């Protein structure tokens, strides 16, 4: 099989799954429906599955008509076709500070689930009402990897990082008032956090957080059985 195919407007990377563990994911924003449809057809032909991120409702409706087995989620703006053949041990928990952050949290949760992770959700547990978070402390400590999504001043990941002995992936969002600077303030706060073991992805990058969490659980699954790594 060729490692890629040149469609003129793009080069579809068929070798991505072999190199990185997951097939190429289509970034839908800025692409036409026709371009997305052409790339989807090639990836489905080679892999039997595909994920498209940042797809607006109009494009999503058109693509579901073209691919009736596809599913479109309006909150995350993700279009999925097919499911993962991999199922990793452990659990990814996605937490978000407020309901306004759900579009990023769901992008992370759906990405990790589609890539083979068991995912649980804990939403609207921001530090303005910290008792809401602490009420679920036992559940939080059971998770293998935590994705923590927050806008405003971005305090939630630091708090969670101080409660657990697990990797915490912090995701700043563009949700907040003026001095929040469209997500720059929580991004810098998370980068400057004193909570150990915390990593930070870009503003609104739920996909990147979900992907990173899946790679962590994939690595753990491979480490359990060195002779038969997950493929």
């Amino acid at each position: 099989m060729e490692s890629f195919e040149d469609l003129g407007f793009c080069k579809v990377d068929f070798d991505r799954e072999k190199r990185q563990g997951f097939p190429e994911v289509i970034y839908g924003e800025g692409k036409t429906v026709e371009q997305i449809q052409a790339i989807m057809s090639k990836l489905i032909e080679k892999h039997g599955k595909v994920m498209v991120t940042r797809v607006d409702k109009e494009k999503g409706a058109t693509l579901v008509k073209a691919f009736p087995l596809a599913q479109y989620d309006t909150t995350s703006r993700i279009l999925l076709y097919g499911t993962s053949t991999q199922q990793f041990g452990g659990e990814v928990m996605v937490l978000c500070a407020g309901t306004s952050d759900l579009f990023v949290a769901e992008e992370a949760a759906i990405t990790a689930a589609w890539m083979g992770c068991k995912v649980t959700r804990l939403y609207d547990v921001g530090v303005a009402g910290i008792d809401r978070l602490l009420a679920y402390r036992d559940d939080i400590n059971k998770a293998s990897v935590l994705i923590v999504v927050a806008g405003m001043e971005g305090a939630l990941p630091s708090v969670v990082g101080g409660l657990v002995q697990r990797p915490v992936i912090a995701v700043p969002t563009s949700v907040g008032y003026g001095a929040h600077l469209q997500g720059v303030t929580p991004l810098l706060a998370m980068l400057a956090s004193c909570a150990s073991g915390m990593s930070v992805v870009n503003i609104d990058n739920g996909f990147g957080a979900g992907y990173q969490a899946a790679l962590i659980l994939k690595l753990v699954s491979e480490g359990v059985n060195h002779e038969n790594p997950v493929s």
Side-chain angles (χ1 to χ4, degrees):
M1 182 179 75
E2 294 294 332
S3 62
F4 69 92
E5 183 173 343
D6 192 341
L7 301 184
F9 63 89
C10 76
K11 295 175 177 61
V12 186
D13 186 358
F14 299 137
D15 204 39
R16 187 81 58 93
E17 187 170 30
K18 182 179 178 181
R19 295 196 319 271
Q20 296 187 305
F22 306 105
E24 180 178 7
V25 172
I26 303 169
Y27 180 71
E29 204 163 62
K31 293 183 176 67
T32 66
V33 171
E34 292 76 19
Q35 289 171 336
I36 296 172
Q37 186 172 335
I39 301 169
M40 283 184 67
S41 296
K42 294 297 181 181
L43 291 173
I44 290 169
E45 179 184 335
K46 298 295 182 180
H47 301 293
K49 58 183 181 292
V50 66
M51 170 187 282
V52 191
T53 65
R54 302 299 169 94
V55 180
D56 62 39
K57 290 181 181 180
E58 184 177 351
K59 288 180 184 177
T62 302
L63 290 167
V64 168
K65 287 181 181 178
F67 301 93
L69 297 180
Q71 296 179 321
Y72 177 69
D73 180 74
T74 57
T75 302
S76 64
R77 296 182 294 159
I78 285 178
L79 183 82
L80 299 177
Y81 183 102
T83 57
S84 176
T85 56
Q86 308 176 101
Q87 291 297 318
F88 306 126
E91 174 186 296
V92 175
M93 175 176 277
V94 181
L95 303 89
C96 78
T99 305
S100 296
D101 301 310
L102 282 180
F103 71 105
V104 179
E106 277 300 292
E107 185 178 78
I110 290 172
T111 296
W114 187 78
M115 291 180 169
C117 301
K118 177 184 177 183
V119 176
T120 58
R121 294 162 169 84
L122 183 58
Y123 291 167
D124 196 24
V125 288
V127 298
I130 200 165
D131 56 310
R132 298 173 300 177
L133 176 71
L134 297 178
Y136 294 92
R137 187 168 181 176
D138 289 343
D139 295 326
I140 292 168
N141 275 288
K142 290 176 184 175
S144 308
V145 181
L146 298 115
I147 298 172
V148 188
V149 180
M152 298 295 184
E153 84 286 20
L156 183 61
S158 291
V159 175
V160 173
L163 296 175
V164 300
Q165 50 179 313
R166 298 287 188 270
V168 173
I169 305 169
V171 190
T173 77
S174 55
V175 175
Y177 296 107
H180 164 270
L181 301 175
Q182 291 79 51
V184 175
T185 297
L187 171 64
L188 295 177
M190 292 172 189
L191 288 171
S193 173
C194 65
S196 303
M198 191 171 92
S199 60
V200 186
V201 299
N202 205 353
I203 299 166
D204 290 343
N205 190 12
F207 167 75
Y211 198 110
Q212 184 180 348
L215 284 175
I216 291 171
L217 292 192
K218 183 177 188 298
L219 181 62
V220 172
S221 296
E222 290 175 351
V224 170
N225 188 346
H226 294 284
E227 299 299 322
N228 296 296
V230 177
S231 59

